[in-house]
Amino acid sequence: MSTIPTWRPVPTSARSYADGVPFPSDPGPRPPSPKRETVERIHHSDRFIDDYEWMRDKDAADVIAHLEAENAYTAAVTAHLEPLRQSIFDEIKNRTQETDLSVPTRRGMWWYYTRTREGAQYPLWCRCPAQPDDWTPPEPDPAADLPGEQLLLDGNAEADGHEFFDVGAFAVSPDARLLAYSVDTTGDERYTVRFKDLDNGEMLPDEIDGTLGEVAWSTDASTVWYATVNAAWRQDAVWRHRLGTGRDANALVHREDDERFNVSVARTTSGRFIAVSSASKVTSEVRVLDAATPTADLRVVVPRQTGVEYALDHLFVGGADRFVVVHNSTAPNFTIGVGPVDLTSLDQLDTLLAPSERVRLTTVRASARHLVVDLRENGLAQVRTYPVGSTGIGSGSNVAFDEALFAASSTAFTDWDQPYVRLSYGSWVTPATVYELEPVSGELHLRKRQPILGGYDPADYVQTREWTTARDGTAIPISLVHHRSVTPRSGSPLVLYGYGAYEISIEPSVWIARLSLLDRGLVWAVAHVRGGGEMGRHWYDEGRLLHKRNTFTDFVDVARHLVDTEWTSSQRLVAIGGSAGGLTVGAAVNEDPDLFVGVLAIVPFVDALTTILDPSLPLTVSEWDEWGDPLHDPDFYAYMKSYTPYENIRPVVYPAVYAPTSLHDTRVFYVEPAKWVARLRDVATGAAPVLLKVEMDGGHGGVSGRYDSWREIADQFAWVIDTCGAPG
């Protein structure tokens, strides 16, 4: 049984703590004492002294030595948690069906799927033959091969000899003969594209490095399009590669010169068009060409206009080729329209689904028989389907589900002719589920529900949503899930998770690892703060640029609500956030450090101003539409400096902090949490431990390999349990 920690003040002299209590004879592990090298940063007449910017050079021996010292200190301070870490790892492993099979998806005359095998870190990518008129996926024994099964790629063999491994693209050619796939073996998200002959299993000599993993095939499988990244890690160019030729023969088909934009390339569902999209955070532009004529020039569909976003798919309806387009040129929550493939203006579209203040339209997908729209209504992700016939598009309807809280989304059509619409579904208590919808009858066919071993019963858990009023009067939704044995509003240990950026919504889902918290009596709460997308486009707009502080104050107001309504207490409340969510919890704890007993900040974006001031760093310029441009605009500089966690650490008692990061993360550099931790120890008072853990072979998502990932999660959750005083 853990107890609620009582942190003692930090030493102020060689003889006693700040309150005069003498040091113990053995004070235990001491944190590293990194050197200070003053760097002066001056912008817009503001001067900031940074003692730890020297940590940015990850090739320097003293930086690596410091990170290793931090790891050693964290290991020593948390050594008592090893039995709990092992217990949580065992719980995750024992609840997971290790030998498993994904629901097969049909492309042409093959069913494609992935397998996992007990003891193996990575999946196997496989396929088996399909019968001409059979669209019902096979339901095999996960431990047995399907008739005619062919192993396309063994992730474990590919990963051999690498500490990190990830597959990006996995694209089979239209004739089903060749496989293009991409791999990252460092965690820095630079992928190398390789090609395999699936008839004989041999690798082709073609190899393309420096990509972010996207590949699109021509109709005749002679050519692929791919995108590359520049020195600032921006995906800025699309190339055409003809198989059998050298890299120097590849043709540049589009270069995006505007540093705010990234490019991507894909085939439409029909396979008819190659679409090259240029997108910033708030503006987009699409170019297309016929996939059957790979050497043709790209054509701009609708020229970019600042603040206007659009995306398209190809549709054949009423005997004609059409584009179906989701766009926000007429309303912030987007509109869906249909127009000719020689479209040059969004004004040419016939409206299919009009805009609404209550409904945010997010994605549109087309097949030969159906049109599917993903949308958000009442804060929930939902799906609407339309029949496509020879005379036109029929009326649409939302797919109905029984639960009050859920998330439903369509998955990409993998075959132009497939008669079903495949859906992903889940809630806070219902495990991840794959349905196939028969749109004409409305019947849902259950294809798979994530197995959870050990007798998981959704009735053992309770999901609820409640609201609190933010300081500016805005109603903020809160999702809560807990074990049925927990009495609501009884001062339980509670984890409050937050993100709040990029219009990303935190959806209801069952996470096997989280059960280890819920079964120990913790409540898991999600603050659906502004900056996310839960309540529509305005929810995002009210949490970015010069409204960004709303994200952080919303999180604090939710935390106060949970304490005031006795869901928890400040001695039992742990905040969790990762990446931009790490910025959220870092800013929140600066505002009200007494509100939390601990903060788990995973790959946290806590030195945001330093990063966004440097246009040479990865992703910086493209992020100006999200955070503002503090380099050129003094108002944005002052605003960002008012909230970024690193600059705003105060000499007050802070809660315990745990900051896991990865050396090869290219989205949030390891240096941000490393500097933050060092400065917290310098400035903050109190004796709560401030810990940094650096995965020396990880990326933004941490380590690779499912077993290693489970150990990483077990480590973090053991710290949470110990910090909030929950049963171990």
Side-chain angles (χ1 to χ4, degrees), residues 183-260:
V183 297
D184 169 18
T185 56
T186 63
D188 63 2
E189 298 184 62
R190 286 200 177 188
Y191 291 82
T192 297
V193 180
R194 298 169 181 162
F195 299 87
K196 184 176 183 179
D197 188 321
L198 298 181
D199 287 342
N200 58 28
E202 295 181 359
M203 299 299 298
L204 276 61
D206 307 65
E207 196 167 280
I208 307 166
D209 58 13
T211 83
L212 279 185
E214 296 177 332
V215 175
W217 284 98
S218 65
T219 303
D220 64 0
S222 66
T223 303
V224 294
W225 289 266
Y226 64 95
T228 55
V229 294
N230 63 12
W233 241 255
R234 182 173 67 92
Q235 194 159 289
D236 70 331
V238 174
W239 304 79
R240 184 179 65 242
H241 171 73
R242 185 170 181 83
L243 293 181
T245 65
R247 177 77 180 264
D248 56 357
N250 293 352
L252 176 67
V253 298
H254 175 63
R255 185 177 297 280
E256 179 54 64
D257 294 323
D258 191 324
E259 291 183 290
R260 298 170 302 163

Side-chain angles (χ1 to χ4, degrees), residues 333 356-360 376-380 465 467 474-477 503 505 528-530 532-540:
N333 272 344
S356 165
E357 292 185 0
R358 296 187 310 106
V359 180
R360 166 68 161 99
R376 300 195 66 83
E377 187 171 6
N378 299 321
L380 301 178
R465 172 164 290 181
W467 299 76
T474 302
I476 310 296
E503 204 178 357
S505 301
H528 298 285
V529 296
R530 283 173 284 184
E534 283 86 346
M535 305 303 294
R537 174 48 70 94
H538 80 281
W539 205 248
Y540 171 51

Side-chain angles (χ1 to χ4, degrees), residues 14 24 53 56 68 85 104 206 252 280 295 389 433 475 481 625 632:
E53 180 62 15
R56 187 172 299 276
E68 290 174 342
R85 287 192 287 251
D206 307 65
L252 176 67
S280 72
T295 59
T433 302
V481 60
D625 284 335
H632 302 101

Side-chain angles (χ1 to χ4, degrees), residues 577-648:
S579 195
L583 168 61
T584 298
V585 299
V589 78
N590 276 344
E591 176 178 330
D592 196 343
D594 293 336
L595 194 52
F596 309 93
V597 72
V599 175
L600 175 59
I602 305 166
V603 292
F605 188 38
V606 284
D607 191 21
L609 183 55
T610 303
T611 296
I612 299 300
L613 280 167
D614 188 347
S616 71
L617 293 178
L619 309 177
T620 289
V621 176
S622 63
E623 294 285 297
W624 285 348
D625 284 335
E626 178 78 19
W627 311 98
D629 176 4
L631 181 62
H632 302 101
D633 190 320
D635 291 336
F636 277 117
Y637 176 88
Y639 189 70
M640 286 194 72
K641 192 180 179 189
S642 75
Y643 68 70
T644 47
Y646 184 61
E647 284 88 353
N648 289 283

